[in-house]
Amino acid sequence: MKVSKYNFIKNINGVNVFFNAKTCALAVVDDNFMNALEDIEANNFIEDNYDKKLIEDMKLSGCIIGDNVDEVRQIEFYRNLSKYDKSSLALTLAPTLACNFRCTYCFENHGNKVMNEKTQDEIISFIKNQIKNIKNLSITWYGGEPLIARKIIYSLSEKILALCEENKVIYTSFIITNASLLTDQDILLFKKYKIRGAQVTIDGPKDVHDSRRISCNGKSTFDLLINNVNKLLNNGLDVIVRINVDKENINRIKELIFVLKDRIDKYSKLKIDFGKVSTFTEVCKSIEKSCFDNEEYADLLLPLTDNIINMGFDVNKMNIYPQVKYNYCCADYINSFVIDVDGFIYKCWNHVGVKEKSCGHISEMEKITSNEYLKWIQWNPLKNKKCKECKMLPICMGGCPDLVIDSKNDPVCDIVKYNLDNIIKFYYEKLKGVE
Ligand code: SF4
Ligand code: SF4
Ligand code: SF4
């Protein structure tokens, strides 16, 4: 028996709290646990000296493992299983890159095209070819502002839903929208076409939001969005309010939460999600100075989240409690694609519309082996010595690949590296509260 290399013990006011990054188990542990751990590490362990249940729990939590277990190898094995699993297909479709907003941090080049029929047919034909081999299909409607091309969303949805029903494939769909164009008719059609909800970005109280999420006609959209979020929620649809955070709006977030509490009818059903504003392309380079780095962001995320939970809101738990990751994101998963208005395919969401970063075209999807595609699929943080030896590997998995994939730069560690200690403390306090 030996101890896992992914164990963390944090002493909080004299109490030992254990976390294992390979299983994400968290527990308050006693002296017997600590003694067993020490004995195993010192090679003095005699199993009969310890309570059976304690040892079983230690094994179950991933804290102790068999002598012959190679944890890094296991991680690589599960990573490959997950990465090359083709039972699900995840498509992010941008029926247009046009947008009626000009957000200060937007990285897209918009134009005013909408997806033509040929490209729509090619998408359907691709799905038809895949449908026999998959169990789940998820579509995320993306843009630009996807509702500018609402007819395409509904016409594609009709065909895709029919294919899923015919082939008993589980279908889920979601839309990322600025919500300024949402109509009552859209809500009915969301329900008809199983678009289960929407992510709507609101970046602060009225003055802050309107100065960052600038509408092309110069009009304020804040009140309109609050009304539309209410409409979605009151019709039983899920809403994630996304708040993109940087140094410009961080001090006004709490005010926004008070406004939401006051003006959203069913705020307990709404989920809040934070995004860190980043400069992904030249288009948004001008806002570089106002962006937080991961370390700074980690410091402020947890107190902010705690505050919001205490006010009765639900938050995206993935933002807080670490998850075992076999892929960092959809970009390095084999069956996930972003498809732009012209049918060009990308792995990373941030590249949509940047043709030189495209992996190929939907019309040749079946035989796609371009370098631009393979580099995502074959990207492997385990090839990096730092990541391979890192205790955070199972919950970080090398950080955002887009930041390193075309360079020899060091990996950019996920925020979990900087706030794990605080997360353990945060959950310990929560557990203590329910005792
Ligand atoms: S709403 Fe979205 S796509 Fe439109 S400008 Fe803002 S960030 Fe860009
Ligand atoms: S590679 Fe990075 S930027 Fe691209 S989708 Fe993944 S996390 Fe986002
Ligand atoms: S990116 Fe950083 S934290 Fe993540 S696994 Fe690599 S070295 Fe560890």
Side-chain angles (χ1 to χ4, degrees):
M1 207 130 23
K2 63 183 179 186
V3 300
S4 163
K5 63 185 279 187
Y6 300 110
N7 288 344
F8 293 79
I9 303 278
K10 185 166 170 59
N11 189 286
I12 305 168
N13 305 327
V15 176
N16 285 318
V17 184
F18 159 82
F19 175 77
N20 180 279
K22 192 159 167 274
T23 59
C24 289
L26 178 80
V28 171
V29 293
D30 61 12
D31 288 347
N32 285 333
F33 178 102
M34 296 304 289
N35 292 341
L37 210 58
E38 256 176 46
D39 281 353
I40 295 166
E41 269 176 328
N43 248 337
N44 287 333
F45 181 69
I46 301 166
E47 195 159 344
D48 289 346
N49 290 351
Y50 287 93
D51 180 53
K52 256 193 175 159
K53 175 83 171 70
L54 171 72
I55 302 305
E56 268 168 31
D57 286 349
M58 289 176 89
K59 287 180 186 166
L60 198 66
S61 68
C63 172
I64 53 177
I65 51 177
D67 282 327
N68 295 326
V69 172
D70 181 336
E71 289 179 291
V72 174
R73 207 166 180 179
Q74 283 183 340
I75 289 171
E76 186 147 33
F77 170 72
Y78 286 117
R79 178 181 150 74
N80 285 334
L81 269 191
S82 161
K83 187 185 183 87
Y84 294 107
D85 172 14
K86 285 191 150 190
S87 63
S88 298
L89 176 64
L91 299 180
T92 301
L93 302 180
T96 183
L97 291 181
C99 190
N100 59 330
F101 277 18
R102 289 294 177 269
C103 303
T104 47
Y105 46 75
C106 185
F107 53 81
E108 289 186 2
N109 276 314
H110 299 293
N112 53 13
K113 259 191 202 167
V114 293
M115 192 178 272
N116 64 28
E117 284 200 12
K118 183 169 175 286
T119 305
Q120 294 174 50
D121 289 346
E122 283 165 342
I123 290 172
I124 296 300
S125 154
F126 169 68
I127 294 174
K128 264 187 193 158
N129 291 342
Q130 298 291 312
I131 201 110
K132 298 271 180 232
N133 307 321
I134 59 172
K135 291 189 187 129
N136 306 288
L137 172 62
S138 74
I139 303 281
T140 305
W141 299 103
Y142 188 58
E145 169 44 48
L147 288 177
I148 287 179
R150 50 168 60 78
K151 275 192 185 152
I152 298 170
I153 295 180
Y154 304 135
S155 147
L156 279 174
S157 294
E158 175 113 21
K159 292 173 191 162
I160 297 170
L161 260 173
L163 279 172
C164 287
E165 271 162 24
E166 200 180 307
N167 290 280
K168 300 197 171 25
V169 165
I170 299 165
Y171 179 70
T172 53
S173 176
F174 196 75
I175 187 165
I176 297 178
T177 168
N178 65 34
S180 63
L181 304 173
L182 189 82
T183 62
D184 292 346
Q185 177 72 359
D186 285 319
I187 289 182
L188 292 177
L189 291 171
F190 282 10
K191 288 180 160 184
K192 176 172 179 191
Y193 293 119
K194 295 195 174 170
I195 299 173
R196 68 173 172 83
Q199 178 183 294
V200 179
T201 299
I202 305 181
D203 269 356
K206 190 168 182 161
D207 61 311
V208 175
H209 173 83
D210 286 338
S211 67
R212 294 160 65 89
R213 310 270 304 165
I214 302 165
S215 72
C216 290
N217 63 15
K219 288 191 182 156
S220 165
T221 55
F222 183 82
D223 294 315
L224 174 68
L225 299 198
I226 296 282
N227 285 345
N228 285 346
V229 166
N230 270 327
K231 272 189 196 169
L232 287 160
L233 288 167
N234 291 338
N235 278 283
L237 293 156
D238 294 338
V239 179
I240 297 175
V241 165
R242 162 89 166 202
I243 308 174
N244 289 324
V245 180
D246 60 23
K247 292 173 189 169
E248 304 286 327
N249 67 344
I250 184 68
N251 293 327
R252 306 286 306 277
I253 304 293
K254 277 191 199 161
E255 265 175 78
L256 169 64
I257 305 301
F258 279 112
V259 176
L260 294 178
K261 188 151 184 176
D262 187 40
R263 293 186 51 190
I264 298 291
D265 305 334
K266 295 187 174 174
Y267 72 84
S268 60
K269 291 204 158 190
L270 174 141
K271 205 171 248 181
I272 306 260
D273 189 24
F274 291 107
K276 183 172 83 66
V277 176
S278 303
T279 52
F280 283 101
T281 68
E282 285 306 315
V283 182
C284 50
K285 267 287 184 254
S286 59
I287 46 112
E288 198 162 14
K289 280 200 189 110
S290 55
C291 297
F292 290 112
D293 65 26
N294 279 0
E295 204 166 343
E296 293 167 324
Y297 186 61
D299 276 350
L300 58 92
L301 187 62
L302 211 54
L304 203 58
T305 308
D306 193 22
N307 209 281
I308 285 169
I309 294 173
N310 290 336
M311 285 176 72
F313 285 93
D314 195 4
V315 293
N316 186 352
K317 300 280 183 309
M318 298 222 345
N319 268 350
I320 346 173
Y321 197 76
Q323 313 282 316
V324 175
K325 284 190 177 129
Y326 292 120
N327 311 83
Y328 183 78
C329 67
C330 52
D332 64 330
Y333 166 60
I334 192 159
N335 241 8
S336 170
F337 304 97
V338 182
I339 301 173
D340 78 7
V341 58
D342 295 314
F344 285 92
I345 301 158
Y346 308 83
K347 293 299 290 170
C348 168
W349 286 42
N350 288 344
H351 297 167
V352 65
V354 185
K355 302 281 187 282
E356 54 278 19
K357 300 228 175 190
S358 155
C359 305
H361 193 265
I362 183 79
S363 56
E364 51 176 20
M365 191 81 153
E366 256 72 45
K367 44 183 191 288
I368 192 164
T369 51
S370 65
N371 284 341
E372 195 58 40
Y373 174 66
L374 294 179
K375 81 175 185 195
W376 290 97
I377 305 304
Q378 291 169 349
W379 178 73
N380 183 357
L382 283 136
K383 286 185 185 160
N384 180 295
K385 197 168 178 287
K386 270 195 183 163
C387 293
K388 191 169 180 176
E389 289 169 2
C390 176
K391 279 182 81 171
M392 300 280 172
L393 179 71
I395 51 176
C396 171
M397 209 37 87
C400 164
D402 188 38
L403 299 172
V404 288
I405 207 159
D406 285 324
S407 70
K408 291 202 165 35
N409 294 345
D410 273 348
V412 179
C413 306
D414 191 86
I415 60 166
V416 73
K417 171 173 169 176
Y418 306 107
N419 65 2
L420 184 63
D421 269 4
N422 287 336
I423 289 171
I424 293 174
K425 189 159 180 272
F426 177 81
Y427 276 93
Y428 164 69
E429 302 288 349
K430 294 263 168 246
L431 287 174
K432 219 172 54 163
V434 294
E435 267 175 7

PDB file of all heavy atoms in Angstrom, residues 381 384-400 410-414 416-418, ligand 3:
ATOM      1  N   PRO A 381      -1.308  17.336 -22.099  1.00  0.00           N
ATOM      2  CA  PRO A 381      -0.547  18.001 -21.038  1.00  0.00           C
ATOM      3  C   PRO A 381       0.458  17.060 -20.365  1.00  0.00           C
ATOM      4  O   PRO A 381       1.422  17.512 -19.747  1.00  0.00           O
ATOM      5  CB  PRO A 381      -1.627  18.452 -20.044  1.00  0.00           C
ATOM      6  CG  PRO A 381      -2.831  17.674 -20.378  1.00  0.00           C
ATOM      7  CD  PRO A 381      -2.747  17.292 -21.814  1.00  0.00           C
ATOM      8  N   ASN A 384       4.054  17.470 -21.033  1.00  0.00           N
ATOM      9  CA  ASN A 384       4.763  18.578 -20.399  1.00  0.00           C
ATOM     10  C   ASN A 384       5.217  18.121 -19.004  1.00  0.00           C
ATOM     11  O   ASN A 384       4.402  17.695 -18.187  1.00  0.00           O
ATOM     12  CB  ASN A 384       3.792  19.766 -20.288  1.00  0.00           C
ATOM     13  CG  ASN A 384       4.438  20.960 -19.653  1.00  0.00           C
ATOM     14  OD1 ASN A 384       4.823  20.941 -18.489  1.00  0.00           O
ATOM     15  ND2 ASN A 384       4.567  22.019 -20.429  1.00  0.00           N
ATOM     16  N   LYS A 385       6.540  18.214 -18.751  1.00  0.00           N
ATOM     17  CA  LYS A 385       7.087  17.691 -17.490  1.00  0.00           C
ATOM     18  C   LYS A 385       6.404  18.328 -16.267  1.00  0.00           C
ATOM     19  O   LYS A 385       6.060  17.636 -15.315  1.00  0.00           O
ATOM     20  CB  LYS A 385       8.596  17.971 -17.472  1.00  0.00           C
ATOM     21  CG  LYS A 385       9.374  17.166 -16.469  1.00  0.00           C
ATOM     22  CD  LYS A 385      10.877  17.295 -16.731  1.00  0.00           C
ATOM     23  CE  LYS A 385      11.685  16.532 -15.705  1.00  0.00           C
ATOM     24  NZ  LYS A 385      11.733  17.134 -14.398  1.00  0.00           N
ATOM     25  N   LYS A 386       6.212  19.643 -16.349  1.00  0.00           N
ATOM     26  CA  LYS A 386       5.599  20.348 -15.207  1.00  0.00           C
ATOM     27  C   LYS A 386       4.224  19.776 -14.889  1.00  0.00           C
ATOM     28  O   LYS A 386       3.887  19.540 -13.743  1.00  0.00           O
ATOM     29  CB  LYS A 386       5.431  21.832 -15.545  1.00  0.00           C
ATOM     30  CG  LYS A 386       6.616  22.661 -15.176  1.00  0.00           C
ATOM     31  CD  LYS A 386       6.213  24.119 -15.205  1.00  0.00           C
ATOM     32  CE  LYS A 386       7.439  24.941 -14.893  1.00  0.00           C
ATOM     33  NZ  LYS A 386       7.321  26.313 -15.259  1.00  0.00           N
ATOM     34  N   CYS A 387       3.415  19.592 -15.947  1.00  0.00           N
ATOM     35  CA  CYS A 387       2.046  19.088 -15.736  1.00  0.00           C
ATOM     36  C   CYS A 387       2.082  17.635 -15.269  1.00  0.00           C
ATOM     37  O   CYS A 387       1.324  17.249 -14.377  1.00  0.00           O
ATOM     38  CB  CYS A 387       1.223  19.204 -17.009  1.00  0.00           C
ATOM     39  SG  CYS A 387       0.889  20.902 -17.485  1.00  0.00           S
ATOM     40  N   LYS A 388       2.957  16.855 -15.895  1.00  0.00           N
ATOM     41  CA  LYS A 388       3.002  15.431 -15.568  1.00  0.00           C
ATOM     42  C   LYS A 388       3.318  15.224 -14.085  1.00  0.00           C
ATOM     43  O   LYS A 388       2.818  14.303 -13.451  1.00  0.00           O
ATOM     44  CB  LYS A 388       4.053  14.745 -16.450  1.00  0.00           C
ATOM     45  CG  LYS A 388       3.994  13.251 -16.371  1.00  0.00           C
ATOM     46  CD  LYS A 388       4.835  12.596 -17.410  1.00  0.00           C
ATOM     47  CE  LYS A 388       4.727  11.094 -17.255  1.00  0.00           C
ATOM     48  NZ  LYS A 388       5.436  10.370 -18.262  1.00  0.00           N
ATOM     49  N   GLU A 389       4.149  16.103 -13.540  1.00  0.00           N
ATOM     50  CA  GLU A 389       4.546  15.939 -12.134  1.00  0.00           C
ATOM     51  C   GLU A 389       3.669  16.736 -11.166  1.00  0.00           C
ATOM     52  O   GLU A 389       3.884  16.693  -9.964  1.00  0.00           O
ATOM     53  CB  GLU A 389       6.014  16.381 -11.976  1.00  0.00           C
ATOM     54  CG  GLU A 389       6.951  15.388 -12.632  1.00  0.00           C
ATOM     55  CD  GLU A 389       8.373  15.901 -12.737  1.00  0.00           C
ATOM     56  OE1 GLU A 389       8.641  17.024 -12.260  1.00  0.00           O
ATOM     57  OE2 GLU A 389       9.191  15.168 -13.302  1.00  0.00           O
ATOM     58  N   CYS A 390       2.707  17.432 -11.707  1.00  0.00           N
ATOM     59  CA  CYS A 390       1.947  18.381 -10.882  1.00  0.00           C
ATOM     60  C   CYS A 390       0.824  17.686 -10.103  1.00  0.00           C
ATOM     61  O   CYS A 390       0.094  16.853 -10.642  1.00  0.00           O
ATOM     62  CB  CYS A 390       1.358  19.441 -11.812  1.00  0.00           C
ATOM     63  SG  CYS A 390       0.311  20.611 -10.976  1.00  0.00           S
ATOM     64  N   LYS A 391       0.672  18.058  -8.833  1.00  0.00           N
ATOM     65  CA  LYS A 391      -0.386  17.471  -7.993  1.00  0.00           C
ATOM     66  C   LYS A 391      -1.783  17.921  -8.416  1.00  0.00           C
ATOM     67  O   LYS A 391      -2.785  17.364  -8.013  1.00  0.00           O
ATOM     68  CB  LYS A 391      -0.176  17.915  -6.527  1.00  0.00           C
ATOM     69  CG  LYS A 391       0.871  17.113  -5.793  1.00  0.00           C
ATOM     70  CD  LYS A 391       0.981  17.577  -4.352  1.00  0.00           C
ATOM     71  CE  LYS A 391      -0.117  16.969  -3.490  1.00  0.00           C
ATOM     72  NZ  LYS A 391       0.097  17.222  -2.051  1.00  0.00           N
ATOM     73  N   MET A 392      -1.836  18.983  -9.213  1.00  0.00           N
ATOM     74  CA  MET A 392      -3.130  19.528  -9.646  1.00  0.00           C
ATOM     75  C   MET A 392      -3.610  18.874 -10.949  1.00  0.00           C
ATOM     76  O   MET A 392      -4.714  19.163 -11.402  1.00  0.00           O
ATOM     77  CB  MET A 392      -3.006  21.033  -9.933  1.00  0.00           C
ATOM     78  CG  MET A 392      -2.567  21.850  -8.776  1.00  0.00           C
ATOM     79  SD  MET A 392      -4.004  22.145  -7.720  1.00  0.00           S
ATOM     80  CE  MET A 392      -3.195  22.901  -6.326  1.00  0.00           C
ATOM     81  N   LEU A 393      -2.760  18.043 -11.529  1.00  0.00           N
ATOM     82  CA  LEU A 393      -3.066  17.533 -12.876  1.00  0.00           C
ATOM     83  C   LEU A 393      -4.513  17.042 -13.060  1.00  0.00           C
ATOM     84  O   LEU A 393      -5.186  17.459 -14.004  1.00  0.00           O
ATOM     85  CB  LEU A 393      -2.057  16.439 -13.272  1.00  0.00           C
ATOM     86  CG  LEU A 393      -2.302  15.822 -14.638  1.00  0.00           C
ATOM     87  CD1 LEU A 393      -1.964  16.788 -15.765  1.00  0.00           C
ATOM     88  CD2 LEU A 393      -1.507  14.529 -14.808  1.00  0.00           C
ATOM     89  N   PRO A 394      -5.026  16.170 -12.161  1.00  0.00           N
ATOM     90  CA  PRO A 394      -6.384  15.651 -12.427  1.00  0.00           C
ATOM     91  C   PRO A 394      -7.476  16.718 -12.444  1.00  0.00           C
ATOM     92  O   PRO A 394      -8.504  16.521 -13.066  1.00  0.00           O
ATOM     93  CB  PRO A 394      -6.626  14.668 -11.272  1.00  0.00           C
ATOM     94  CG  PRO A 394      -5.298  14.426 -10.650  1.00  0.00           C
ATOM     95  CD  PRO A 394      -4.449  15.616 -10.919  1.00  0.00           C
ATOM     96  N   ILE A 395      -7.252  17.841 -11.754  1.00  0.00           N
ATOM     97  CA  ILE A 395      -8.310  18.863 -11.708  1.00  0.00           C
ATOM     98  C   ILE A 395      -7.972  20.084 -12.557  1.00  0.00           C
ATOM     99  O   ILE A 395      -8.759  21.022 -12.639  1.00  0.00           O
ATOM    100  CB  ILE A 395      -8.630  19.299 -10.248  1.00  0.00           C
ATOM    101  CG1 ILE A 395      -7.351  19.683  -9.494  1.00  0.00           C
ATOM    102  CG2 ILE A 395      -9.402  18.222  -9.526  1.00  0.00           C
ATOM    103  CD1 ILE A 395      -7.600  20.208  -8.088  1.00  0.00           C
ATOM    104  N   CYS A 396      -6.829  20.043 -13.202  1.00  0.00           N
ATOM    105  CA  CYS A 396      -6.458  21.175 -14.058  1.00  0.00           C
ATOM    106  C   CYS A 396      -6.268  20.716 -15.510  1.00  0.00           C
ATOM    107  O   CYS A 396      -6.713  21.358 -16.442  1.00  0.00           O
ATOM    108  CB  CYS A 396      -5.170  21.828 -13.539  1.00  0.00           C
ATOM    109  SG  CYS A 396      -4.514  23.041 -14.689  1.00  0.00           S
ATOM    110  N   MET A 397      -5.608  19.584 -15.658  1.00  0.00           N
ATOM    111  CA  MET A 397      -5.367  18.973 -16.969  1.00  0.00           C
ATOM    112  C   MET A 397      -4.702  19.944 -17.955  1.00  0.00           C
ATOM    113  O   MET A 397      -5.047  20.013 -19.123  1.00  0.00           O
ATOM    114  CB  MET A 397      -6.678  18.402 -17.518  1.00  0.00           C
ATOM    115  CG  MET A 397      -6.548  17.213 -18.448  1.00  0.00           C
ATOM    116  SD  MET A 397      -5.261  16.027 -18.073  1.00  0.00           S
ATOM    117  CE  MET A 397      -6.051  14.906 -16.936  1.00  0.00           C
ATOM    118  N   GLY A 398      -3.749  20.672 -17.413  1.00  0.00           N
ATOM    119  CA  GLY A 398      -2.881  21.445 -18.292  1.00  0.00           C
ATOM    120  C   GLY A 398      -3.347  22.849 -18.626  1.00  0.00           C
ATOM    121  O   GLY A 398      -2.664  23.567 -19.357  1.00  0.00           O
ATOM    122  N   GLY A 399      -4.508  23.248 -18.123  1.00  0.00           N
ATOM    123  CA  GLY A 399      -4.979  24.607 -18.414  1.00  0.00           C
ATOM    124  C   GLY A 399      -5.471  24.756 -19.839  1.00  0.00           C
ATOM    125  O   GLY A 399      -5.445  23.805 -20.638  1.00  0.00           O
ATOM    126  N   CYS A 400      -5.912  25.943 -20.172  1.00  0.00           N
ATOM    127  CA  CYS A 400      -6.505  26.210 -21.497  1.00  0.00           C
ATOM    128  C   CYS A 400      -5.490  25.905 -22.611  1.00  0.00           C
ATOM    129  O   CYS A 400      -4.446  26.542 -22.684  1.00  0.00           O
ATOM    130  CB  CYS A 400      -6.941  27.675 -21.553  1.00  0.00           C
ATOM    131  SG  CYS A 400      -7.255  28.277 -23.217  1.00  0.00           S
ATOM    132  N   ASP A 410       5.265  27.918 -21.151  1.00  0.00           N
ATOM    133  CA  ASP A 410       4.817  27.090 -20.037  1.00  0.00           C
ATOM    134  C   ASP A 410       3.297  27.041 -20.019  1.00  0.00           C
ATOM    135  O   ASP A 410       2.651  27.983 -20.485  1.00  0.00           O
ATOM    136  CB  ASP A 410       5.282  27.725 -18.717  1.00  0.00           C
ATOM    137  CG  ASP A 410       6.686  27.257 -18.376  1.00  0.00           C
ATOM    138  OD1 ASP A 410       7.169  26.311 -19.025  1.00  0.00           O
ATOM    139  OD2 ASP A 410       7.287  27.854 -17.466  1.00  0.00           O
ATOM    140  N   PRO A 411       2.724  25.970 -19.456  1.00  0.00           N
ATOM    141  CA  PRO A 411       1.256  25.936 -19.368  1.00  0.00           C
ATOM    142  C   PRO A 411       0.750  27.094 -18.516  1.00  0.00           C
ATOM    143  O   PRO A 411       1.457  27.580 -17.637  1.00  0.00           O
ATOM    144  CB  PRO A 411       0.981  24.599 -18.676  1.00  0.00           C
ATOM    145  CG  PRO A 411       2.254  24.218 -18.011  1.00  0.00           C
ATOM    146  CD  PRO A 411       3.350  24.815 -18.828  1.00  0.00           C
ATOM    147  N   VAL A 412      -0.466  27.515 -18.803  1.00  0.00           N
ATOM    148  CA  VAL A 412      -1.079  28.572 -17.986  1.00  0.00           C
ATOM    149  C   VAL A 412      -2.017  27.876 -16.998  1.00  0.00           C
ATOM    150  O   VAL A 412      -3.074  27.372 -17.381  1.00  0.00           O
ATOM    151  CB  VAL A 412      -1.844  29.578 -18.872  1.00  0.00           C
ATOM    152  CG1 VAL A 412      -2.498  30.666 -18.018  1.00  0.00           C
ATOM    153  CG2 VAL A 412      -0.901  30.185 -19.897  1.00  0.00           C
ATOM    154  N   CYS A 413      -1.582  27.810 -15.761  1.00  0.00           N
ATOM    155  CA  CYS A 413      -2.293  27.000 -14.766  1.00  0.00           C
ATOM    156  C   CYS A 413      -3.699  27.534 -14.521  1.00  0.00           C
ATOM    157  O   CYS A 413      -3.903  28.748 -14.430  1.00  0.00           O
ATOM    158  CB  CYS A 413      -1.516  26.988 -13.453  1.00  0.00           C
ATOM    159  SG  CYS A 413       0.191  26.450 -13.677  1.00  0.00           S
ATOM    160  N   ASP A 414      -4.615  26.597 -14.402  1.00  0.00           N
ATOM    161  CA  ASP A 414      -6.017  26.940 -14.138  1.00  0.00           C
ATOM    162  C   ASP A 414      -6.138  27.619 -12.769  1.00  0.00           C
ATOM    163  O   ASP A 414      -5.308  27.416 -11.884  1.00  0.00           O
ATOM    164  CB  ASP A 414      -6.821  25.633 -14.144  1.00  0.00           C
ATOM    165  CG  ASP A 414      -8.303  25.876 -14.144  1.00  0.00           C
ATOM    166  OD1 ASP A 414      -8.857  26.056 -15.234  1.00  0.00           O
ATOM    167  OD2 ASP A 414      -8.897  25.901 -13.049  1.00  0.00           O
ATOM    168  N   VAL A 416      -7.799  26.899 -10.361  1.00  0.00           N
ATOM    169  CA  VAL A 416      -7.891  25.967  -9.233  1.00  0.00           C
ATOM    170  C   VAL A 416      -6.544  25.837  -8.521  1.00  0.00           C
ATOM    171  O   VAL A 416      -6.469  25.614  -7.318  1.00  0.00           O
ATOM    172  CB  VAL A 416      -8.434  24.584  -9.707  1.00  0.00           C
ATOM    173  CG1 VAL A 416      -7.403  23.809 -10.510  1.00  0.00           C
ATOM    174  CG2 VAL A 416      -8.942  23.772  -8.542  1.00  0.00           C
ATOM    175  N   LYS A 417      -5.463  26.022  -9.270  1.00  0.00           N
ATOM    176  CA  LYS A 417      -4.135  25.934  -8.642  1.00  0.00           C
ATOM    177  C   LYS A 417      -3.987  27.005  -7.549  1.00  0.00           C
ATOM    178  O   LYS A 417      -3.340  26.793  -6.542  1.00  0.00           O
ATOM    179  CB  LYS A 417      -3.054  26.124  -9.704  1.00  0.00           C
ATOM    180  CG  LYS A 417      -1.681  26.254  -9.094  1.00  0.00           C
ATOM    181  CD  LYS A 417      -0.605  26.267 -10.120  1.00  0.00           C
ATOM    182  CE  LYS A 417       0.713  26.668  -9.469  1.00  0.00           C
ATOM    183  NZ  LYS A 417       1.825  26.623 -10.376  1.00  0.00           N
ATOM    184  N   TYR A 418      -4.603  28.145  -7.776  1.00  0.00           N
ATOM    185  CA  TYR A 418      -4.402  29.262  -6.854  1.00  0.00           C
ATOM    186  C   TYR A 418      -5.450  29.322  -5.751  1.00  0.00           C
ATOM    187  O   TYR A 418      -5.243  29.996  -4.760  1.00  0.00           O
ATOM    188  CB  TYR A 418      -4.395  30.585  -7.642  1.00  0.00           C
ATOM    189  CG  TYR A 418      -3.399  30.557  -8.767  1.00  0.00           C
ATOM    190  CD1 TYR A 418      -3.818  30.449 -10.097  1.00  0.00           C
ATOM    191  CD2 TYR A 418      -2.044  30.581  -8.496  1.00  0.00           C
ATOM    192  CE1 TYR A 418      -2.902  30.390 -11.128  1.00  0.00           C
ATOM    193  CE2 TYR A 418      -1.115  30.517  -9.528  1.00  0.00           C
ATOM    194  CZ  TYR A 418      -1.553  30.419 -10.837  1.00  0.00           C
ATOM    195  OH  TYR A 418      -0.646  30.343 -11.853  1.00  0.00           O
TER     196      TYR A 418
HETATM  197  S1  SF4 B   3      -1.137  23.766 -16.003  1.00  0.00           S
HETATM  198 FE1  SF4 B   3      -0.098  24.209 -14.073  1.00  0.00          FE
HETATM  199  S2  SF4 B   3      -1.505  23.537 -12.466  1.00  0.00           S
HETATM  200 FE2  SF4 B   3      -2.221  22.675 -14.390  1.00  0.00          FE
HETATM  201  S3  SF4 B   3      -1.377  20.640 -14.438  1.00  0.00           S
HETATM  202 FE3  SF4 B   3       0.043  21.972 -15.555  1.00  0.00          FE
HETATM  203  S4  SF4 B   3       1.540  22.675 -14.036  1.00  0.00           S
HETATM  204 FE4  SF4 B   3      -0.219  21.825 -12.939  1.00  0.00          FE
END
